[in-house]
Amino acid sequence: MKVVGLGGDEPVEGTADVVVAIDGPAGSGKSTVARRVAEEAGLRYLDTGATYRALTLALLRRGIPVEDAEAVADAAKAVDLTLELPPGRAGAARVLLDGVEPGLALRTPEVNATVSAVAAVPAVRELLVGLQRSLVGVGGIVVEGRDIGTVVWPDADVKVFLTASEHERARRRSDDTEGGGETAETLARRDALDSGRAASPTRAAADALVIDSTTRTIDQVVDHLLQLIEAARATRPR
Ligand code: DC
């Protein structure tokens, strides 16, 4: 597992710009918000969920029984997962599996149904958190996930935990064609597993700002985050 720049294995230039952590359950609107905020603030973007999904896909392709934590921990070490930084200082980091971007294969019902079991294995989290930190360390990035503010980057300059009512989250997910139209049942099961696991469960950090997006538009949440970024940038030399 490694992080590369576009030019391959050369070291990547760091920036002193802010790190923005956005955590929350599935369907809270965090992906849409995180992408938009990154774009509008001119920051890089990392979807850490995609790293758990890519690893799960690799294990499924290899026929590893994903409920067997020991087999998962063993097989995970051999998976060829790369995070590729975007060119310049903005844009989304790409997740490559065996050198190829898996695209929609990350969002199949099979991956939706098994990713939480894989993400609950401590050895998997250790590997992927290490990979994610190497990229976040470059700076100037919006990072979304479940444990960014608590574990991956507790020193983030802006820390937000996005929530929405269960009903609203299920509604958004079934509307979301990119999400493969995940059913309310799988979504609820995934959230329960992600919040109930022993290893870094979905949690708001004590110092995170909790934003309930049930009755707010995406635009309102994005604007709020852009204000927080502006304030954080003002107190930080770039
Ligand atoms: O963000 P997502 O729904 O694509 O994430 C897929 C799964 O990955 C999620 O159900 C739990 C896991 N995950 C995690 O454990 N920690 C993260 N930081 C991000 C995702």
Side-chain angles (χ1 to χ4, degrees), residues 5-106:
L6 266 189
D9 285 321
E10 304 136 32
V12 186
E13 192 199 335
T15 67
D17 206 349
V18 291
V19 173
V20 180
I22 305 182
D23 289 305
S28 58
K30 91 186 138 40
S31 291
T32 313
V33 167
R35 275 179 197 278
R36 286 251 328 255
V37 165
E39 216 173 278
E40 293 186 29
L43 294 164
R44 299 180 179 99
Y45 164 69
L46 172 63
D47 169 12
T48 59
T51 65
Y52 289 92
R53 289 174 177 275
L55 184 61
T56 303
L57 178 63
L59 299 177
L60 291 172
R61 283 179 176 166
R62 287 161 176 72
I64 308 296
V66 293
E67 304 297 337
D68 179 346
E70 219 169 292
V72 165
D74 255 9
K77 286 182 254 165
V79 171
D80 175 8
L81 202 70
T82 305
L83 286 182
E84 188 182 79
L85 273 157
R89 292 183 166 215
R94 293 205 306 157
V95 179
L96 305 177
L97 185 57
D98 297 318
V100 180
E101 207 170 16
L104 287 179
L106 296 185

